[in-house]
């Protein structure tokens, strides 16, 4: 399996190198869909230039990266293109290894459940076979590396790639079962962009499952393990934040990074829902709606944890998608990360209801974004409503895609336990409804 | 009755006699007013008229309980004393001084309103004092100076050194703000005139009539208050108030196409008498010959004297009319100075000023842009440094790593940069640089910016007009063509005494560039409710889908008994004779 992966990596690196040398690199770096005030490369360079001038990068409102990024790029600024290509490759390799291990776990669990007769007799066609699962890791790596969103994100040198890489390593560490590494990578991811905090729940559920600890609120071992994992996570987070303090000897980065993410003062257009909402918000309600929108990202965690406690990886996927859609400054790099997981749920294809129209919506919106931006900003013949409309449509497309996959997943689970051919009490074929 | 009143009045006067009023009147006059008017014909055929009213008061405003104000206006005196102001400079300007075509200005001000103040070291909360000061000045001058707040105030470190006496220069006591959108009109001129001791009733101020002054290309009125040495030994401090007004009358609109100017043509008034409170009242007409030839300008009536001085590094000849000399009003009751050109002026004779600059916005679209400043040094062999101060509002996000300075095709690194980045909605950008200008060169300074999208309430009522960026300030010691002799600064006329000059070989110049007008992307102002509803709908779609999937489970569908609609349909079917559902 290594050879096809190397081939894919080579192809990806070639595409990126070709784009770096072309004139499209400047055009892509300016796209607001690809870069946001949080992760634009121009702002990293600006922060380093301010540091050279003797001014703290956090004294202005331009630089919102964490001090570790300053530290990293202070030494690697000349090799920036190489750094981002290597980051993408590392992310793909991490996802490959993670999904490889995950497939083994899935297969083992499936075998156990078949032996325990938990599945209905006529669901043979729903069971995943090693044959069809063989190419999934490669497809995941392919989906990530050759996704146009990822390529554009890499060519624009957006630090979203670094965030994706850390999350990929976190997923790898979780699947391999190492609680310590998983906590460290999760702390790094939270430190960089705050929202991966919600990935604590799926990781914890996965590790508990792997340790065969039952998820009962009264169980002592459950609380013991949770406390262990939580303390590992919090300690690493505290250590990283203290290290950042010692870099510039000030706590200025906390309001500049986390205050910025949470209070959304910069209304630069992006593919998310926040910018136009707060551009048109009545001043009186601004704080209330900021709180509502931020809580919106975090509050799906507990209900999803309760519903999907047997399936933490799917929970992780849904949670990643919710973060990408509802975070304050989303970019296409975040979308690319959860889309890389779609090959893992290939077996759900027969239960997806709207996949064709949703893919069309997402593709068309991706093409319309730059067109309507140009019409608004450069041609002056459209106004901000056009771009906002495409933002809304794109987000609805993403939301319906995720809920479609969720529906398909739950439906497959129902069929697995109750059988594929359902009959009503009088023997006629039955319909399945959600009630 | 009348006799009794007169006796009463006499008794009252006698009683008030040995009071403080008599003592004051008995002492030597401690304040003096000097008025000057300078008429300068400009190379393009326009004429510039600069008025200066200097009131100098030998009193210590800071310490004493000064209650008796004579020539010095009480409003400004109380302001200086109460808020601990050391120096105050306020200018209200309409139009732009074209340095390239009109030459170096005697005193330039940026378009709009500019206020810069040095506070005393005893002031503890400078920001509070600044806010109070701008509000009080807004009331005194009927200008919208109350819009000065932290979003347009900066603290320059090198550009605005004190022009009066100063002990130390801790730049945290300095505040500078400019409002480029401010418009100057008659209601700003009237309170300004009221501060003059004679008002606009006598002396040179009778010429200040609003309908002619605002029919001009450039109108700038300023107030400068500063402490100066009382005498050569500088043991005591006097306060000087200078009120200056510069107006440029356009050759085409005011001059009706003819280059002959006169006081009546410019101001529709002539000088009739002097202000009795003024100790000096003079009119200067610049009759300097260009290119060392004979004078090409003829003035009538003949002047009382001719004065030669080195002003701004150049030798100038002035025809002086001393309004206090008795011989002036002998022949006629009024003085109407007339300027006539002896021979037609050749446009190629226009002398180019040693230092001039221009600024513009580059780029296209509403996402990014570039501020370009061009600074010209036309001196043939001398290089000199210039300090450039740029204040850019926070919504044009400057990227200082894109700052490039190019002179004669090569990069020119500034020897001093002070950059303070902006904070959103709190503070503007401040960029100060010391740039060395080589002889006979053009220096191009460019910096890129990104345009921010603001909240819909932060746009002005006409959002597509654009946003103004205040003029940038260039301060330099320009080398003079002719060395200036040390002269008695008190006696020298015409603004040479406002700026310091350390030696005679260079003179201080402060230039301002054009203000910029920049468009920002705008949201649709008619749609706040629609946007809120639509975005909340998207969030609700997600919430609804997830709520369904999380709280409901799959069930086999039970055959439904049929609702009302089905029963009604069955009834209709029976009537038609079709099998029921």
């Amino acid at each position: 399996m290594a050879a096809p992966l190397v081939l894919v990596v080579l192809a990806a690196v070639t595409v990126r190198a070709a784009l770096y040398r072309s004139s499209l690199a400047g055009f892509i770096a300016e796209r607001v869909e690809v870069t946001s005030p949080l992760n634009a490369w121009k702002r990293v360079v600006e922060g380093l230039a301010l540091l050279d001038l003797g001014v703290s990068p956090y004294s202005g409102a331009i630089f919102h990266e964490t001090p570790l990024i300053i530290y990293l790029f202070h030494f690697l600024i000349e090799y920036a293109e190489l750094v981002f290509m290597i980051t993408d490759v590392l992310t793909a390799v991490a996802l490959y290894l993670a999904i490889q291990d995950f497939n083994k776990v899935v297969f083992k669990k499936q075998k156990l459940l078949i032996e325990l007769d938990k599945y209905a007799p006529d669901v043979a066609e729903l069971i995943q076979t090693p044959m069809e699962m063989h190419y999934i890791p490669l497809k995941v790596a392919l989906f990530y590396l050759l996704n146009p969103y990822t390529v554009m994100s890499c060519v624009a040198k957006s630090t979203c790639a670094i965030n994706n890489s850390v999350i990929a390593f976190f997923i790898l560490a979780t699947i391999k079962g190492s609680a310590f590494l998983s906590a460290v990578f999760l702390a790094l991811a939270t430190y960089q962009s705050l929202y991966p905090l919600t990935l604590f729940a799926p990781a914890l559920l996965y590790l508990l499952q792997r340790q065969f600890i039952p998820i009962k609120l009264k169980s002592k071992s459950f609380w013991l393990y949770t406390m262990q994992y939580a303390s590992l996570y919090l300690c690493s987070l505290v250590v990283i934040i203290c290290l950042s303090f010692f870099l510039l000897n000030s706590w200025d980065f906390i309001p500049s990074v986390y205050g910025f993410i949470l209070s959304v003062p910069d209304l630069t257009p992006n593919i998310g829902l926040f910018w136009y909402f707060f551009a048109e918000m009545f001043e009186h309600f601004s704080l209330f709606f900021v709180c509502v929108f931020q809580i919106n990202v975090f509050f799906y965690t507990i209900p999803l944890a309760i519903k999907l406690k047997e399936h933490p990886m799917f929970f992780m996927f849904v949670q990643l998608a919710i973060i990408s859609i509802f975070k304050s400054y989303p970019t296409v790099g975040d979308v690319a990360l959860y889309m890389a997981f779609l090959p893992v749920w290939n077996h759900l294809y027969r239960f997806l209801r709207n996949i064709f129209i949703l893919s069309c919506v997402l593709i068309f919106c991706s093409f319309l974004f730059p067109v309507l931006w140009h019409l608004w900003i450069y041609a002056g013949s459209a106004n901000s409503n056009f771009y906002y409309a495409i933002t809304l449509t794109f987000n609805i497309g993403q939301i319906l895609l995720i809920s479609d996959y969720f529906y398909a997943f739950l439906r497959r689970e129902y069929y697995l336990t109750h059988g594929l051919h359902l009959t009503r009490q009088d023997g006629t074929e039955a319909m399945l409804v959600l009630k | 009755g009348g006799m009794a009143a007169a006796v009463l009045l006499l008794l009252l006067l006698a009683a008030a006699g040995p009071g403080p009023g008599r003592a004051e009147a008995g002492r030597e006059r401690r304040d003096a007013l000097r008025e000057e008017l300078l008429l300068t014909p400009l190379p393009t055929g326009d004429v510039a008229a600069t008025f200066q009213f200097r009131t100098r008061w030998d009193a210590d405003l800071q310490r004493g309980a000064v209650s008796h104000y004579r020539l010095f206006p009480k409003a400004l005196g109380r302001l200086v004393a109460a808020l601990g102001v050391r120096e105050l400079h306020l200018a209200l300007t309409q139009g732009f001084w074209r340095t390239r075509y009109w030459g170096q200005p005697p005193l330039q001000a940026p378009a709009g309103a500019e206020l810069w103040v040095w506070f005393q070291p005893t002031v503890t909360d400078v920001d509070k004092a600044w806010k109070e000061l701008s509000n009080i000045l807004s009331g005194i001058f009927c200008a919208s100076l109350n819009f000065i707040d932290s979003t347009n105030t900066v603290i320059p470190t090198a550009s605005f050194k004190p022009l009066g006496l100063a002990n130390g220069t801790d730049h945290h006591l300095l505040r500078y703000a400019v409002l480029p959108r401010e418009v100057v009109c008659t209601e700003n001129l009237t309170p300004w005139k009221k501060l003059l001791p004679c008002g606009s009733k006598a002396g040179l101020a009778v010429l200040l009539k609003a309908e002619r002054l605002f029919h001009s290309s450039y109108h700038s009125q300023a107030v400068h208050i500063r402490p100066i040495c009382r005498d050569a030994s500088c043991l005591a401090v006097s306060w000087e108030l200078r009120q200056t007004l510069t107006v440029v009358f356009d050759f085409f609109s005011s001059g009706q196409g003819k280059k002959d100017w006169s006081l009546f043509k410019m101001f529709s008034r002539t000088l009739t008498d002097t202000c009795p409170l003024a100790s000096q009242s003079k009119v200067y007409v610049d009759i300097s010959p260009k290119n060392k030839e004979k004078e090409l300008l003829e003035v009538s009536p003949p002047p009382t004297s001719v004065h030669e001085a080195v002003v701004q590094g150049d030798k100038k000849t002035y025809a002086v009319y001393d309004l206090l000399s008795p011989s002036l009003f002998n022949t006629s009751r009024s003085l109407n100075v007339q300027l006539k050109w002896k021979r037609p002026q050749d446009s190629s004779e226009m002398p180019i000023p040693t230092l001039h600059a221009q600024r513009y916005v580059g780029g296209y679209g509403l996402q990014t842009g570039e501020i370009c400043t061009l600074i010209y040094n036309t001196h043939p062999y001398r290089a000199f440094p210039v300090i450039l101060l740029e204040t850019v509002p926070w919504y044009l996000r400057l990227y200082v790593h894109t700052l490039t300075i190019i002179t004669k095709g090569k990069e020119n690194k500034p020897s001093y940069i002070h950059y303070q980045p902006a904070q959103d909605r709190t503070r503007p950008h401040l960029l100060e640089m010391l740039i060395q200008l080589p002889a006979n060169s053009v220096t191009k300074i460019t910096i890129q910016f990104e345009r921010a999208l603001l909240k819909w309430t932060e746009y002005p009522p006409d959002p597509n007009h654009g946003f103004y960026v205040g003029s940038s300030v260039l301060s330099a010691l320009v080398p003079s063509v002719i060395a200036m002799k040390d002269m008695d600064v008190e006696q020298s006329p015409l603004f040479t005494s406002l700026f310091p000059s350390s030696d005679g070989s260079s003179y201080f110049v402060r230039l301002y560039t054009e203000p910029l007008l920049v468009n920002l992307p705008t949201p649709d102002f008619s749609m706040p409710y629609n946007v809120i509803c639509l975005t909340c709908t998207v969030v609700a779609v997600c919430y609804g889908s997830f709520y369904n999937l999380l709280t409901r489970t799959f069930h086999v569908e039970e055959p439904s008994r049929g609702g009302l609609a089905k029963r009604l349909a069955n009834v209709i079917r029976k009537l038609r004779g079709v099998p029921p559902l």
Side-chain angles (χ1 to χ4, degrees):
Chain A
M1 282 303 286
L5 180 64
V6 168
L7 223 62
V8 165
V9 163
L10 277 175
V13 167
T14 313
V15 166
R16 284 161 172 75
L19 279 172
Y20 272 130
R21 294 284 159 262
S22 76
S23 62
L24 280 177
F27 172 73
I28 291 174
E30 287 213 334
R31 300 266 89 238
V32 288
E33 299 90 21
V34 182
T35 61
S36 73
L38 272 182
N39 52 31
W41 176 246
K42 200 171 173 191
R43 292 185 179 230
V44 173
V45 176
E46 176 69 10
L48 292 172
L50 283 175
L51 205 59
D52 281 340
L53 270 179
V55 177
S56 163
Y58 300 109
S59 59
I62 293 266
F63 188 71
H64 302 287
E65 299 274 3
T66 54
L68 286 188
I69 297 277
I70 301 181
Y71 214 56
L72 177 73
F73 283 109
H74 193 64
F75 303 110
L76 295 176
I77 187 107
E78 284 109 47
Y79 310 107
E81 293 171 3
L82 209 60
V83 166
F84 283 101
M85 283 202 275
I86 291 175
T87 309
D88 266 358
V89 167
L90 283 176
T91 311
V93 169
L95 288 176
Y96 178 88
L97 295 170
I99 299 300
Q100 227 178 18
D101 252 6
F102 175 63
N103 279 347
K104 293 197 191 109
V105 168
V106 162
F107 192 62
K108 249 196 285 192
K109 188 168 160 196
Q110 207 171 239
K111 218 159 110 173
L112 183 70
L113 287 173
I114 291 175
E115 279 167 15
L116 289 176
D117 264 341
K118 290 283 173 111
Y119 287 165
D122 58 348
V123 294
E125 57 197 74
L126 288 181
I127 306 283
Q128 288 179 289
T129 60
M131 271 293 286
E132 65 192 41
M133 295 207 296
H134 189 246
Y135 281 109
I136 289 178
L138 184 66
K139 280 191 206 167
V140 166
L142 190 82
F143 254 58
Y144 185 75
L145 279 176
L146 295 181
N147 191 347
Y149 291 157
T150 325
V151 172
M152 284 202 292
S153 206
C154 180
V155 172
K157 294 193 276 224
S158 152
T159 56
C160 184
I162 297 177
N163 201 26
N164 286 357
S165 180
V166 174
I167 294 179
F169 277 108
F170 152 70
I171 293 176
L172 176 64
T174 309
I175 290 182
K176 291 273 188 196
S178 157
F180 172 67
L181 278 179
S182 166
V184 166
F185 280 117
L186 186 63
L188 269 175
T190 311
Y191 164 74
Q192 193 176 1
S193 75
L194 200 65
Y195 293 105
L197 175 64
T198 53
L199 298 175
F200 179 84
L204 179 65
L205 287 174
Y206 188 87
L207 289 167
L208 284 171
Q209 213 181 54
R210 212 190 137 87
Q211 305 276 44
F212 303 110
I213 299 173
I215 302 163
K216 285 198 209 336
L217 283 178
K218 299 237 184 355
S219 151
K220 230 171 59 171
S221 51
F222 165 72
W223 285 111
L224 195 66
Y225 196 84
T226 310
M227 285 299 130
Q228 267 182 333
Y229 189 61
S231 56
L232 275 172
Y233 170 63
L234 287 170
C235 286
S236 350
L237 196 58
V238 165
V239 164
I240 296 171
I241 290 186
C242 289
L243 272 175
S244 316
F245 170 77
F246 288 118
L247 181 74
L248 286 173
N249 267 329
S250 77
W251 295 110
D252 276 348
F253 72 97
I254 291 185
S256 258
V257 181
Y258 306 113
F260 182 78
I261 293 176
L262 289 175
S263 65
V264 196
D266 187 336
L267 297 173
T268 311
N270 50 54
I271 61 173
L273 297 165
F274 280 67
W275 64 280
Y276 207 53
F277 189 74
F278 290 104
E280 298 272 13
M281 174 53 62
F282 301 102
E283 204 49 48
H284 185 65
F285 297 104
S286 189
L287 182 63
F288 170 70
F289 277 103
V290 164
C291 295
V292 165
F293 270 52
Q294 296 292 357
I295 289 172
N296 187 42
V297 184
F298 292 96
F299 100 122
Y300 288 107
T301 309
I302 307 285
L304 280 171
I306 295 170
K307 183 82 178 184
L308 291 171
K309 60 177 180 267
E310 307 293 328
H311 314 283
M313 274 318 283
F314 191 75
F315 177 19
M316 182 91 77
F317 164 69
V318 173
Q319 193 61 65
L320 269 177
I322 288 175
I323 294 175
S324 303
I325 298 170
F326 292 112
K327 68 193 291 196
S328 41
Y329 293 99
T331 60
V332 293
D334 302 302
V335 175
L337 181 63
Y338 79 79
M339 280 198 170
F341 286 95
L342 293 180
V344 182
W345 321 113
N346 258 347
H347 55 277
L348 299 174
Y349 181 72
R350 59 187 286 176
F351 301 112
L352 292 171
R353 292 175 297 175
N354 306 316
I355 190 67
F356 173 69
I357 197 164
L358 291 174
S359 355
C360 285
V361 163
L362 291 176
I363 293 173
F364 284 161
C365 286
S366 311
F367 282 115
L368 280 175
F369 269 121
V371 171
L372 291 170
W373 177 258
H374 178 88
L375 283 180
W376 172 27
I377 297 289
Y378 294 100
S381 54
N383 65 9
S384 49
N385 290 332
F386 291 68
Y387 193 77
Y388 169 64
I390 297 301
T391 304
L392 286 182
T393 321
F394 188 70
N395 281 311
I396 290 245
Q398 286 186 79
I399 289 168
L400 291 177
L401 180 76
I402 299 306
S403 59
D404 210 15
Y405 266 92
F406 197 6
Y407 173 86
F409 187 85
L410 292 176
R411 193 163 170 166
R412 178 176 172 270
E413 291 301 311
Y414 182 83
Y415 280 138
L416 278 176
T417 47
H418 292 89
L420 203 49
H421 302 290
L422 303 163
T423 51
R424 270 187 273 206
Q425 280 157 352
D426 52 4
T428 52
E429 199 171 328
M431 291 282 288
L432 208 55
V433 291
L434 211 50
K435 266 219 204 34
Chain B
M3 273 298 289
V7 166
L8 205 59
L9 203 59
L10 276 168
L11 277 171
L12 274 169
L13 276 172
R22 181 73 68 82
E24 277 287 349
R27 253 179 262 158
E28 196 190 294
R29 287 273 176 269
R30 298 199 317 166
D31 46 15
L33 167 71
R34 291 153 68 179
E35 7 175 81
E36 285 146 2
L37 164 62
L38 165 65
L39 297 173
T40 317
L42 299 173
T44 49
D46 310 325
V47 69
T50 314
F51 292 82
Q52 182 177 259
F53 301 91
R54 275 188 289 172
T55 305
R56 175 231 161 100
W57 192 22
D58 296 338
D60 200 348
L61 271 175
Q62 292 300 315
R63 230 164 296 155
V66 180
S67 54
H68 187 72
Y69 288 85
R70 196 175 146 261
L71 295 182
F72 201 94
K74 185 171 179 179
L76 295 179
R78 298 238 334 230
L79 189 69
V80 167
L83 291 175
V85 170
R86 188 166 75 195
E87 257 187 58
L88 185 147
H89 303 270
L90 168 66
L92 295 165
T93 312
Q94 171 106 323
F96 183 68
W97 181 275
R98 294 166 215 285
T99 312
R100 170 77 178 79
Y101 300 105
W102 293 346
Q104 218 94 54
L107 202 63
Q108 194 186 0
E114 184 204 37
L115 175 66
W116 60 280
V117 174
W118 275 95
F119 287 93
Q120 298 281 355
T122 53
V123 174
T124 44
D125 192 347
V126 180
D127 289 316
K128 185 156 160 278
W130 171 251
K131 187 106 190 97
E132 272 187 51
L133 178 69
S134 48
N135 279 307
I136 295 174
L137 285 173
S138 170
I140 294 176
F141 290 99
C142 297
S144 314
L145 299 174
N146 54 328
F147 284 124
I148 292 179
D149 56 12
S150 65
T151 59
N152 43 31
T153 307
V154 290
I155 305 177
T157 54
S159 293
F160 286 93
K161 295 293 179 209
L163 295 177
L165 281 185
N167 266 342
T169 52
D170 175 12
H171 66 266
H172 291 106
L173 298 169
L174 168 64
R175 293 290 184 274
Y176 173 79
V178 68
L179 295 171
R181 212 183 164 124
E182 216 22 54
V183 169
V184 188
C185 57
T186 317
E187 68 174 21
N188 304 119
L189 182 65
T190 313
W192 188 92
K193 281 195 293 188
K194 269 209 263 193
L195 294 173
L196 296 170
C198 276
S200 54
K201 297 187 179 55
L204 293 176
V206 297
L207 297 174
L208 300 175
K209 289 298 161 199
E211 70 264 12
R212 297 300 300 171
L213 283 182
F214 289 102
H215 192 63
S216 56
S217 325
Y218 176 80
H219 171 101
S220 172
Q221 60 196 56
V223 169
H224 303 276
I225 303 176
R226 60 178 186 151
I228 52 175
C229 288
R230 200 171 290 190
D231 47 24
S233 61
C234 212
L235 291 166
V237 161
S238 296
W239 284 85
E240 183 192 71
L241 164 69
R242 271 185 204 236
Q243 286 180 258
T244 62
L245 192 143
T246 309
V247 59
V248 172
F249 290 102
D250 190 68
F251 156 58
F252 287 108
S253 52
S254 314
Q256 286 124 28
K258 286 200 278 268
K259 284 190 197 166
D260 299 330
W261 294 99
S262 71
L263 281 183
F264 189 76
K265 198 169 175 194
M266 290 192 275
F267 301 104
S268 69
R269 286 280 189 292
T270 57
L271 293 167
T272 45
D273 57 1
T274 64
C275 173
L277 299 169
S279 58
Q280 195 185 78
S281 187
K282 290 189 179 159
V283 176
Y284 294 84
V285 182
D286 185 348
I287 52 173
S288 317
K290 310 273 187 287
N291 296 337
K292 300 183 188 56
E293 290 183 19
K294 285 209 311 255
E295 294 111 30
L296 33 78
L297 193 67
E298 186 188 288
V299 291
S300 71
T304 44
S305 61
V306 170
H307 177 88
E308 281 189 3
V310 177
V311 171
Q312 287 183 341
D314 222 354
K315 190 154 174 218
K316 299 229 169 118
T317 315
Y318 297 99
V320 183
Y321 294 85
D322 190 346
L323 295 179
L324 288 173
S325 83
S327 60
L328 197 66
F329 291 109
N330 270 352
T331 44
S332 66
R333 288 286 311 272
S334 72
L335 171 66
N336 184 18
V337 177
Q338 285 171 334
L339 291 80
K340 274 207 235 321
W341 295 99
K342 274 201 209 149
R343 57 180 175 80
Q345 203 186 18
D346 197 356
S347 61
S348 64
E349 290 172 7
M350 278 200 279
I352 301 179
T354 316
L355 175 69
H356 63 280
Q358 63 183 104
R359 189 172 72 151
Y360 54 91
V361 176
Y364 61 95
L366 294 176
Q367 189 177 3
T368 52
E370 196 177 60
I371 297 181
C372 305
T373 312
L374 291 171
I375 310 181
Y376 299 84
N377 173 7
T378 55
H379 201 282
Y381 52 85
R382 290 280 300 272
F384 56 89
V386 69
I387 297 182
L388 173 67
L389 170 75
E390 289 245 20
T391 310
V392 178
W394 66 267
Y395 38 80
L396 300 179
R397 301 178 205 267
L398 289 183
Y399 284 91
V400 80
H401 74 271
T402 56
L403 176 69
T404 50
I405 306 176
I406 299 196
T407 309
K408 289 184 179 166
K410 286 195 303 237
E411 207 197 308
N412 181 355
K413 246 181 111 51
S415 42
Y416 168 76
I417 295 189
H418 172 72
Y419 177 64
Q420 193 184 50
Q423 273 287 350
D424 275 8
R425 302 180 178 91
T426 312
R427 196 173 72 193
H429 295 279
L430 172 68
L431 177 63
E432 265 188 291
M433 297 187 285
L434 179 69
I435 305 168
Q436 190 74 14
L437 302 177
N440 208 11
S441 65
V442 179
T443 306
K444 183 170 181 184
I445 302 157
T446 53
I447 185 165
Q448 288 176 10
F449 62 86
E450 229 175 50
R451 303 174 203 226
L453 184 74
L454 306 177
K455 299 187 181 171
W456 70 303
T457 46
E458 290 173 347
Y459 287 88
D462 184 7
N464 291 304
H465 177 73
F467 287 77
Y468 283 96
V469 179
S471 313
S472 46
V473 187
L474 291 153
S475 320
L477 276 173
V478 179
S480 342
V481 173
I482 300 174
M484 293 190 294
K485 296 185 280 281
D486 277 331
M487 22 186 194
D488 186 9
V489 282
E490 262 307 297
Q491 295 307 313
S492 74
L494 313 163
F495 325 102
T496 50
S497 56
L498 185 60
F499 290 122
S501 67
S502 48
D503 51 30
S505 65
S506 58
Y507 60 96
F508 182 80
V509 146
R510 184 168 283 143
L511 285 184
Y512 295 88
T513 61
E514 294 91 331
L516 302 172
L517 191 58
V518 172
N519 267 329
L520 291 182
T522 58
D524 188 343
F525 298 98
S526 61
M527 293 235 323
Y529 185 66
N530 302 3
V531 167
I532 294 172
C533 282
L534 288 169
T535 310
C536 290
T537 305
V538 171
V539 175
V541 163
C542 179
Y543 177 79
S545 313
F546 273 77
Y547 178 82
N548 273 344
L549 291 165
L550 289 169
T551 54
R552 297 183 188 201
T553 48
F554 283 101
H555 294 282
V556 173
E557 186 185 12
E558 292 303 317
S560 57
R561 291 289 308 281
L564 179 65
K566 198 164 170 193
R567 269 186 278 178
L568 209 60
N570 279 339
V571 164
I572 296 174
R573 286 187 131 182
K574 209 156 67 173
L575 289 173
R576 281 168 61 195
V578 174
L581 286 167

